[in-house]
Amino acid sequence: EVQLVETGGGLIQPGGSLRLSCAASGFTVSSSYMSWVRQAPGKALEWVSVIYSGGRTYYADSVKGRFTISRDNSKNTLYLQMNSLRAEDTAVYYCARDLGCTSTTCRNKWFDPWGQGTLVTVSS
Amino acid sequence: QSVLTQPPSVSGAPGQRVTISCTGSSSNFGAGSDVHWYQQLPGTAPKLLIYGNNNRPSGVPDRFSGSKSGTSASLAISGLQAEDEADYYCQSYDNTLSAWVFGGGTKLTVL
């Protein structure tokens, strides 16, 4: 069974750092495209970052320069390092596998499956 | 404010058919980007419902169907059931933002 489990969320002060983990089972992270998507309380979903199987990474403008996506192939785990956290980063963070990429583009990709999410609260 | 616009809420009685719209623009749907739909039950993670405009993953009932035309897309749910009460999100890619984007979400209430 394909499954994703996030950990690492919690309460952090503004300006602080936090690292989220997403342990995968049933498939190989290193040969997959993987994303982080977040959802602020009572708000819509927001794509945050993606890492391609070849290692390329992309970020939403709202987190560029502050967040870093990475993976540990030996642990089959995806990470999101979050620095300089702001109150507006408060959200449930989900990891998800990307599907639908072709050899030339990921424009029409979708996300499946999703992890259960981990809550990050940025507050003093 | 999302670049994909959904109605905040829709409702219907059990057994009825409801549709949820997702309005985009020339920088996403109009540029040829596909639409995908997710169902989020209360307190749970989103679940893929429709991919590639009108394809259902295995396990998703055929009561759910999707379509896309021009700069708009829609999700139809027929034979409404109480368990369909959830938030529904559309998703696509936007050329202007160079990012994957979601609609603002629609809360479906089964009366």
Side-chain angles (χ1 to χ4, degrees):
Chain A
E1 180 191 5
V2 174
Q3 191 173 10
L4 296 165
V5 177
E6 302 97 333
T7 55
L11 175 63
I12 187 76
Q13 291 190 339
S17 298
L18 206 58
R19 189 179 79 158
L20 306 182
S21 301
C22 169
S25 57
F27 71 102
T28 304
V29 166
S30 62
S31 59
S32 302
Y33 292 12
M34 300 290 298
S35 284
W36 287 96
V37 178
R38 68 183 180 183
Q39 186 173 34
K43 301 296 185 182
L45 301 164
E46 179 189 16
W47 171 78
V48 172
S49 180
V50 61
I51 183 167
Y52 288 174
S53 55
R56 277 185 298 159
T57 60
Y58 296 93
Y59 300 90
D61 287 345
S62 57
V63 306
K64 201 172 294 182
R66 301 187 298 124
F67 289 12
T68 302
I69 190 172
S70 64
R71 66 188 180 217
D72 185 329
N73 297 342
S74 66
K75 296 182 178 179
N76 208 32
T77 297
L78 178 73
Y79 300 102
L80 186 68
Q81 177 68 42
M82 305 184 295
N83 299 331
S84 303
L85 283 162
R86 307 166 179 167
E88 54 264 36
D89 295 319
T90 294
V92 174
Y93 285 73
Y94 298 99
C95 63
R97 183 179 62 175
D98 297 4
L99 294 176
C101 290
T102 68
S103 58
T104 56
T105 180
C106 280
R107 171 178 170 175
N108 288 323
K109 73 175 186 184
W110 58 91
F111 305 103
D112 182 55
W114 299 57
Q116 87 287 354
T118 186
L119 175 62
V120 173
T121 303
V122 184
S123 174
S124 55
Chain B
Q1 191 78 358
S2 176
V3 296
L4 302 180
T5 302
Q6 298 180 235
S9 64
V10 298
S11 63
Q16 284 189 333
R17 180 179 186 271
V18 297
T19 60
I20 298 173
S21 62
C22 177
T23 303
S25 68
S26 58
S27 67
N28 39 71
F29 296 155
S33 294
D34 287 349
V35 65
H36 319 292
W37 292 91
Y38 302 87
Q39 177 192 60
Q40 187 175 33
L41 297 170
T44 69
K47 169 194 163 186
L48 180 69
L49 203 59
I50 298 288
Y51 67 94
N53 302 323
N54 54 15
N55 299 288
R56 281 178 287 105
S58 61
V60 173
D62 59 6
R63 302 186 295 106
F64 295 89
S65 62
S67 64
K68 192 194 92 168
S69 178
T71 58
S72 292
S74 65
L75 172 71
I77 309 172
S78 60
L80 208 55
Q81 300 180 3
E83 67 211 48
D84 298 332
E85 193 160 282
D87 292 326
Y88 292 84
Y89 292 91
C90 57
Q91 175 245 315
S92 187
Y93 181 81
D94 190 87
N95 287 349
T96 299
L97 297 175
S98 295
W100 293 272
V101 293
F102 291 89
T106 298
K107 181 175 181 58
L108 169 63
T109 300
V110 180
L111 302 171

